[in-house]
Amino acid sequence: MNFFRSIKVRVWARFEVVVIAMLAFTYIFLIAMFPMFYGWMKTYEISEVYEDIRTNWYSDDIKQIIESQAFDKKMFIEIIYPDNRSYFVDMLGGSLSIRMISKSSFINSVNNSDTGTIYKTFRDEKENNSILMMGSYIGSDRNDPEAYIFIFNYLQPIGTTVQIFQRQFYIVGLLMMILTIFISALFSNKISEPIIRINNSAKTLPQGKFDAKIGKRDYEEIKQLAGTLSEASREIAKSDDLRRELMSNISHDLRTPLTMIKAYAEMIRDISGDNPEKREKHLKVIIDETDRLSSLVTDILDLSKLQAGVTELNIEAFNLSENISGVVSRFDIVKYNDGITVDLQAEDNIRISGDISKLDQVVYNLINNAVTYAGDDNKVFVRLFKNDEGMVRFEVEDHGEGISPENLPYIWDRYYKVSERSATHKRAKMGSGIGLSIVKSVLEQHGFKYGAESSLGQGSKFWFEAPELSDLNEKQPEESQKHKLELKLQKKQ
Ligand code: ADP
């Protein structure tokens, strides 16, 4: 792990940057710009005094006002009338030199200025001070003023003040830097601690053992993250368990057709060997079961591909009625062994277009489930008909123990099995949990509607609907298949 990119160091560094930026800001405004602010302040102070005198010019107390302003603000204020009479109040102290200045050049500057007001800074060498002067006129007419007014004020030497500030700033700044190194380390620790904690716990996620310790005072986002990770971890553990279970169940699932093959082979040997008709029938079941076995193996391997939509369907028009009765006849042995009858009510010659072998498997899986979970009536009903909307509808119904509403939405998931199943169903069977997920994938690939209705203790009905193939559009699937092929070829080129 790159230490310098760790959350702790980065949070700490960001705090430091903020503190340094704030110190720099303070330095600029408080120390570097201090002389400028001071100049502005003095200018403002003088302009205020001028404003006070100007507005009260015609009052009887004007002299007192001028005196008190000069006294309060420690200023030199001089009024010069157009006839050269003048009057001044000097509260600057030791400012003899100002009294001596001839103001006529200032009056000229005032007259020549754009606004009628001038500001000047100059040095009083005797007093070793800078002086700020404002000159203006009083009256409404600039060309015929009542009087000229000059206000002088010292600009105190602020160099020493700034120096003191600077020193103080260096000391305070250094102390703050040292302090913030620790404070920001503390903060960064506090902020990053839960993230580091979760990160450490998350390392156990692949094993499905994630267990982060979350406190009440932890950040909301951290709590949510921990929740999400726990959920993911649970899912991983669950699918891991399911996979393990699947491995142990798969042999069981494969054994079912094997048992049937064995049973029929024995039957041929012991009973039907000499009866060509029966033997043919039983041999057919053996062949069908062998086919199913191999297709089951292929499907287990292909399931993930199928679900990713990678496998291509081999679409062709076919007689679904015939295919269904073919699948149903494979369950004759179940009647023979367990007394469960599969009752088929199918309209003849219903044609659809689809992948024959995949749809055969759908039908087989649905009937097989119904037989497996059949109820005490030992009956499974298989129906094929055209419904009111003109769709071909296939239904498998049993009167077994059914599926609870909580489980119903999940039965189509891969490896999903209703766990708390009582062992009372007729053909005690450990399912793999992939039968319905194959059904779902195939039907979705075909674009057929499908579903399941069930209530506990009453039984279940599984169905799918496919568009019927009339003679008119009979050719269509082959055409579209051809089209698909062409597309594929084009893509390859
Ligand atoms: P499995 O190989 O376990 O039967 P499926 O994917 O075919 O796997 O079915 C998933 C689950 O749905 C089964 O474990 C079972 O609990 C439930 N299920 C499927 N069909 C029926 C049915 N006809 N009656 C009751 N439960 C059923």
Side-chain angles (χ1 to χ4, degrees):
M1 194 183 82
N2 186 342
F3 175 73
F4 292 103
R5 297 196 74 82
S6 70
I7 183 162
K8 223 182 221 179
V9 174
R10 296 195 113 192
V11 170
W12 176 84
R14 297 235 155 108
F15 267 122
E16 283 303 299
V17 169
V18 170
V19 170
I20 291 170
M22 277 168 71
L23 283 176
F25 191 76
T26 318
Y27 182 86
I28 291 168
F29 274 86
L30 219 64
I31 295 163
M33 291 174 80
F34 182 78
M36 205 168 82
F37 280 132
Y38 180 72
W40 285 346
M41 207 187 73
K42 283 286 172 189
T43 311
Y44 180 71
E45 205 174 56
I46 287 181
S47 72
E48 263 192 339
V49 172
Y50 163 67
E51 221 22 63
D52 193 30
I53 294 169
R54 199 176 62 83
T55 46
N56 291 303
W57 182 252
Y58 299 105
S59 115
D60 295 340
D61 306 328
I62 182 65
K63 277 209 168 145
Q64 272 131 297
I65 290 170
I66 293 173
E67 271 165 26
S68 72
Q69 281 286 18
F71 186 81
D72 286 350
K73 308 267 167 58
K74 304 264 178 302
M75 288 173 177
F76 176 101
I77 302 175
E78 182 163 9
I79 308 288
I80 301 172
Y81 297 97
D83 58 7
N84 268 337
R85 272 185 308 116
S86 73
Y87 157 76
F88 69 81
V89 187
D90 182 4
M91 283 299 160
L92 267 185
S95 55
L96 248 152
S97 50
I98 296 173
R99 292 188 207 172
M100 297 302 143
I101 298 172
S102 149
K103 309 287 180 325
S104 57
S105 68
F106 289 160
I107 292 176
N108 275 343
S109 303
V110 169
N111 285 336
N112 294 334
S113 70
D114 290 342
T115 54
T117 301
I118 55 163
Y119 283 94
K120 267 196 168 64
T121 315
F122 48 89
R123 278 200 68 73
D124 182 348
E125 292 301 341
K126 266 195 205 136
E127 298 295 326
N128 197 19
N129 250 342
S130 287
I131 293 171
L132 174 67
M133 181 273 279
M134 192 208 84
S136 192
Y137 66 92
I138 290 171
S140 51
D141 186 359
R142 250 192 91 173
N143 298 317
D144 182 21
E146 300 271 336
Y148 290 98
I149 176 167
F150 295 98
I151 305 172
F152 294 78
N153 199 358
Y154 277 137
L155 288 172
Q156 299 296 341
I158 50 170
T160 344
T161 321
V162 172
Q163 252 176 20
I164 294 169
F165 270 8
Q166 237 164 6
R167 293 237 173 90
Q168 218 175 345
F169 180 83
Y170 290 146
I171 296 166
V172 172
L174 194 74
L175 280 175
M176 266 174 78
M177 285 295 290
I178 295 170
L179 209 69
T180 51
I181 285 176
F182 291 107
I183 292 176
S184 57
L186 208 78
F187 273 150
S188 92
N189 246 342
K190 220 163 163 45
I191 291 172
S192 53
E193 187 274 328
I195 300 172
I196 294 168
R197 183 158 30 99
I198 285 227
N199 185 35
N200 286 337
S201 324
K203 286 176 186 148
T204 60
L205 198 73
Q207 289 97 50
K209 288 184 196 147
F210 177 80
D211 179 29
K213 306 255 171 309
I214 292 297
K216 264 199 191 133
R217 294 162 60 114
D218 269 322
Y219 311 115
E220 201 46 47
E221 288 85 350
I222 295 288
K223 283 184 199 162
Q224 279 176 14
L225 177 65
T228 315
L229 290 179
S230 305
E231 180 79 29
S233 163
R234 268 198 300 277
E235 284 299 315
I236 290 172
K238 203 161 91 187
S239 91
D240 242 32
D241 285 351
L242 288 170
R243 252 169 240 272
R244 234 171 284 131
E245 223 176 294
L246 172 76
M247 293 311 280
S248 69
N249 289 350
I250 220 140
S251 53
H252 204 280
D253 219 24
L254 294 175
R255 202 172 293 149
T256 318
L258 280 175
T259 318
M260 282 167 89
I261 291 169
K262 189 167 177 245
Y264 274 95
E266 280 170 357
M267 245 182 343
I268 295 169
R269 187 193 63 197
D270 300 339
I271 305 164
S272 61
D274 298 332
N275 182 334
E277 207 178 299
K278 273 194 176 169
R279 192 181 57 211
E280 270 312 297
K281 210 176 158 193
H282 292 166
L283 278 174
K284 189 176 178 306
V285 176
I286 292 181
I287 293 163
D288 284 353
E289 283 305 313
T290 319
D291 284 347
R292 190 173 97 77
L293 201 56
S294 76
S295 82
L296 189 65
V297 172
T298 320
D299 273 327
I300 289 167
L301 297 173
D302 272 2
L303 181 64
S304 49
K305 265 207 250 167
L306 192 72
Q307 288 192 326
V310 184
T311 42
E312 280 285 323
L313 292 178
N314 186 17
I315 305 275
E316 54 192 308
F318 68 101
N319 188 325
L320 184 61
S321 314
E322 274 174 17
N323 272 67
I324 287 175
S325 71
V327 175
V328 168
S329 68
R330 280 154 61 184
F331 286 91
D332 288 352
I333 185 74
V334 182
K335 183 174 180 193
Y336 183 81
N337 284 344
D338 301 321
I340 299 174
T341 45
V342 179
D343 179 75
L344 174 67
Q345 299 158 19
E347 286 179 24
D348 285 337
N349 292 323
I350 286 191
R351 294 173 68 76
I352 64 162
S353 79
D355 186 313
I356 300 181
S357 65
K358 294 227 155 54
L359 289 174
D360 268 4
Q361 197 180 351
V362 166
V363 171
Y364 185 94
N365 286 358
L366 292 179
I367 299 177
N368 194 41
N369 276 353
V371 167
T372 307
Y373 303 110
D376 293 337
D377 63 351
N378 278 349
K379 278 208 168 90
V380 168
F381 298 92
V382 177
R383 294 184 201 101
L384 181 72
F385 56 94
K386 273 178 262 175
N387 70 6
D388 298 342
E389 285 131 40
M391 296 294 278
V392 173
R393 188 175 166 100
F394 170 81
E395 282 181 4
V396 183
E397 189 180 325
D398 66 72
H399 299 140
E401 55 194 283
I403 304 158
S404 67
E406 306 91 69
N407 283 316
L408 199 56
Y410 302 109
I411 53 169
W412 308 95
D413 293 350
R414 188 156 39 151
Y415 311 136
Y416 189 85
K417 287 179 292 172
V418 179
S419 49
E420 306 283 315
R421 186 164 290 286
S422 67
T424 55
H425 53 74
K426 295 288 154 194
R427 298 168 71 224
K429 172 202 163 197
M430 291 252 287
S432 61
I434 61 171
L436 286 181
S437 64
I438 290 175
V439 169
K440 173 184 166 178
S441 303
V442 171
L443 293 177
E444 278 180 358
Q445 241 187 335
H446 277 82
F448 293 171
K449 279 211 293 190
Y450 65 94
E453 291 144 26
S454 187
S455 49
L456 273 182
Q458 308 262 311
S460 321
K461 189 196 273 179
F462 285 77
W463 59 268
F464 72 80
E465 283 177 5
E468 197 204 357
L469 207 62
S470 67
D471 291 340
L472 277 176
N473 53 21
E474 181 110 356
K475 283 269 170 302
Q476 235 176 318
E478 279 154 35
E479 288 279 303
S480 71
Q481 193 59 12
K482 220 168 89 195
H483 183 63
K484 248 191 194 168
L485 206 77
E486 275 166 12
L487 275 180
K488 251 173 132 183
L489 284 173
Q490 268 175 13
K491 262 192 207 158
K492 273 198 185 142
Q493 281 163 9

